[in-house]
Amino acid sequence: MESTIDPATGVALPADAIQRILHISAKVHVYNIPPMASTRGHMAAGWTDDLKRHIFTCRLRIIETAVPAPAEAPGPDRVKADIILEDASTGQLFAAAPYTARAIVESAVDSSRFFALRVQDPQGRKATLGIGFEERSEAFDFSVALQEAQKALGMLGNEGYGAAAAGLKTLPGGGSPAPDEKKDYSLKDGETITVNLSGTKFGRNRIRPPPPQQSAQPSEEAVNLSSFALPPPPGSAPSPSSSSGRAGNSFLPPPPSAQEIRAQKRMSAQDLGFDDGQFGEFA
């Protein structure tokens, strides 16, 4: 039985080691890129404009390796992931990037098809290479495979994992991190919630100040404005010559007396302006 080889170092792995390919691209361009000159990130335009920076076209694979714990020392499995650049025809290793942190792969700021890849040799020497995909769909699949590797390695929310120097991730139980335990925040029987609104706009006592008390004494302004009062209408004062005490020249006429009302009722139809008719029906 052929032994499994560590893709990054070429060292033989235990016979029970398990490997799976998370992503493979048959045609990826590799570039010698200059050091990053701006804090914005790597610019792919500087790689592709200069043809001398293109090294060669290779095959890219993302390989996940799981090494079970030995029977004499039971424990969690060791898991790691590597990004491999190799000759597509011979399979000879060109460069490997142990995926120990998300910063190992950085997207170019001016293109979604190009990335900066930090590779490392078995002696620990590091270099940054540029890689480019010809199709956007392949670049998208590459990014999705990296996210899957991050989940398997427990890198979500972290920049790396514990055994970065060895390129191995120790996981409890068998290869994948345990899911986060769900917490129960529901109220138990008899439990209550107290909401303190003090110090907020809802908890302030909005007491309106009482209206100012009006003084019984007229103010100086009111006394001064009394000089602008309108005079009474003419004829409102009672006439001294009136014997009945009624106003001689009142603004409204006095109401009719009872005698005047009875006299109006006794008026005939002719007095009211009606004709007595042909047959004298109003006579």
Side-chain angles (χ1 to χ4, degrees):
M1 180 177 178
E2 184 180 356
S3 61
T4 306
I5 303 299
D6 189 324
T9 62
V11 178
L13 295 174
D16 55 353
I18 301 174
Q19 288 183 337
R20 65 168 181 156
I21 299 177
L22 302 181
H23 175 76
I24 182 170
S25 293
K27 194 174 183 181
V28 176
H29 300 282
V30 181
Y31 299 88
N32 178 18
I33 64 176
M36 185 172 58
S38 174
T39 56
R40 293 179 53 193
H42 293 277
M43 301 290 293
W47 317 342
T48 57
D49 292 343
D50 189 358
L51 298 179
K52 296 181 180 180
R53 291 193 173 276
H54 184 269
I55 301 176
F56 81 121
T57 301
C58 68
R59 180 175 61 190
L60 181 145
R61 292 192 297 165
I62 301 178
I63 302 177
E64 179 186 277
T65 304
V67 180
E72 61 274 10
D77 296 344
R78 296 181 300 170
V79 181
K80 74 166 188 170
D82 298 282
I83 302 173
I84 306 300
L85 302 178
E86 57 190 4
D87 192 325
S89 58
T90 63
Q92 182 179 1
L93 178 65
F94 172 75
Y99 195 54
T100 57
R102 286 182 294 178
I104 296 297
V105 181
E106 298 182 18
S107 301
V109 297
D110 57 343
S111 176
S112 61
R113 297 186 295 111
F114 291 85
F115 302 84
L117 179 65
R118 189 189 308 168
V119 299
Q120 180 178 340
D121 63 4
Q123 287 74 30
R125 293 174 297 187
K126 299 179 182 179
T128 302
L129 299 176
I131 59 174
F133 298 87
E134 294 186 354
E135 301 293 338
R136 295 185 184 276
S137 58
E138 288 190 352
F140 177 78
D141 294 340
F142 174 71
S143 300
V144 172
L146 291 179
Q147 293 179 3
E148 185 177 353
Q150 293 171 12
K151 293 180 182 179
L153 300 174
M155 294 169 54
L156 294 179
N158 303 315
E159 288 300 324
Y161 48 86
L168 298 176
K169 168 62 178 177
T170 301
L171 299 176
S176 60
D180 296 337
E181 181 181 358
K182 295 183 179 180
K183 297 182 180 181
D184 184 12
Y185 295 98
S186 60
L187 295 178
K188 307 299 185 296
D189 294 339
E191 293 182 349
T192 59
I193 295 178
T194 302
V195 180
N196 185 9
L197 297 179
S198 61
T200 64
K201 65 178 182 179
F202 299 101
R204 298 173 185 169
N205 296 326
R206 297 186 177 181
I207 302 178
R208 296 183 179 179
Q213 298 181 357
Q214 297 180 355
S215 175
Q217 299 295 334
S219 61
E220 181 180 356
E221 181 180 0
V223 174
N224 295 336
L225 292 178
S226 63
S227 61
F228 294 95
L230 295 177
S236 60
S239 174
S241 61
S242 175
S243 60
S244 61
R246 295 181 180 179
N249 295 322
S250 61
F251 184 73
L252 296 176
S257 62
Q259 295 179 356
E260 294 174 350
I261 294 175
R262 286 194 297 269
Q264 290 178 0
K265 290 182 178 181
R266 289 195 299 267
M267 294 177 65
S268 63
Q270 294 179 354
D271 295 334
L272 294 175
F274 293 96
D275 190 4
D276 57 355
Q278 181 179 3
F279 302 100
E281 58 268 18
F282 293 107

